[in-house]
């Protein structure tokens, strides 16, 4: 188990930052550092919860994109774009899903230049079971309450929108 530090490293960074660059730059630093550290904490919690399924959270995301798609299939390039990754990384994820029997890939029936990734029945089962576990774990967001999660999501949506990650 992780031993809690004797101080808040972000508060300490803010204190030191303030002495060199002034007070105005501390809130953006503290917010960005908090988001990055929280991301690491959440990904670790999510990956731990997914160990029984031999999935990482990114592989789970790929599986869920397939699971929730209308036809249970997506072109590899579209899967990569939705994961905000490159085709090579998406291909590695699909390799892992194929090894688990959760997905297959084949040439697109109407576009020979495109690879189509399809969820298998086993993939649907794993997706459902893994989602149940993640729902029970509140996707690693404990101790936040529902209203805090809603507010946080809305705040972060503004950052995403500013980066073009949200449809107008």
């Amino acid at each position: 188990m992780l031993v809690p530090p004797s101080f808040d490293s972000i508060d300490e960074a803010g204190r030191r930052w303030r002495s060199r660059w002034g007070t105005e730059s501390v809130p953006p630093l503290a917010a960005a550092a908090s988001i990055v550290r929280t991301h690491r904490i959440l990904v670790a919690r999510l990956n731990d919860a997914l160990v029984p399924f031999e999935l990482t959270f990114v592989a789970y995301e790929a599986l869920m994109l397939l699971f929730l798609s209308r036809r249970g299939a997506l072109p590899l390039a579209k899967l990569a774009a939705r994961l905000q990754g490159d085709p090579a990384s998406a291909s590695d994820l699909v390799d892992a899903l194929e090894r688990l029997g959760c997905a297959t890939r084949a040439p697109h029936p109407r576009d020979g230049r495109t690879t189509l990734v399809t969820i298998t029945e086993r993939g649907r089962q794993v997706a459902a079971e893994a989602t149940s576990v993640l729902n029970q774990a509140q996707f690693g967001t404990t101790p936040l309450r529902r209203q805090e999660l809603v507010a946080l999501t809305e705040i972060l949506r503004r950052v995403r929108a500013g980066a073009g990650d949200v449809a107008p």
Side-chain angles (χ1 to χ4, degrees):
M1 180 162 187
L2 185 65
V3 176
S6 59
F7 63 94
D8 184 328
S9 61
I10 293 173
D11 287 346
E12 180 63 18
R15 186 182 67 74
R16 292 174 186 242
W17 195 267
R18 184 178 303 108
S19 71
R20 290 180 188 234
W21 290 285
T23 302
E24 289 302 309
S25 65
V26 173
L29 162 74
S34 293
I35 290 168
V36 169
R37 289 181 73 89
T38 302
H39 171 264
R40 290 180 186 141
I41 291 166
L42 287 176
V43 168
R45 287 177 179 177
L46 294 165
N47 285 342
D48 286 348
L50 291 168
V51 165
F53 305 99
E54 300 180 62
L55 295 172
T56 62
F57 187 67
V58 175
Y60 169 80
E61 286 182 292
L63 186 61
M64 291 309 295
L65 285 169
L66 298 170
F67 182 86
L68 296 171
S69 68
R70 282 189 294 249
R71 293 179 182 86
L74 290 170
L76 182 59
K78 186 176 275 189
L79 185 66
R82 290 187 180 167
L83 291 169
Q84 296 181 318
D86 59 88
S89 296
S91 185
D92 290 345
L93 283 173
V94 173
D95 287 345
L97 292 175
E98 283 184 311
R99 281 191 300 276
L100 292 170
C102 292
T104 60
R105 80 175 90 200
H108 193 287
R110 293 180 304 280
D111 181 355
R113 300 166 298 166
T114 301
T115 299
L116 193 62
V117 182
T118 305
I119 193 168
T120 63
E121 196 52 46
R122 167 97 178 114
R124 289 187 178 285
Q125 178 185 359
V126 169
E129 291 174 12
T131 299
S132 178
V133 166
L134 291 175
N135 278 330
Q136 287 177 336
Q138 296 181 36
F139 279 82
T141 61
T142 302
L144 298 179
R145 294 185 304 273
R146 185 181 190 287
Q147 67 195 40
E148 293 170 318
L149 294 168
V150 169
L152 179 60
T153 300
E154 200 49 48
I155 289 167
L156 294 175
R157 178 177 282 117
R158 290 176 51 205
V159 175
R160 292 174 45 233
D165 187 49
V166 177

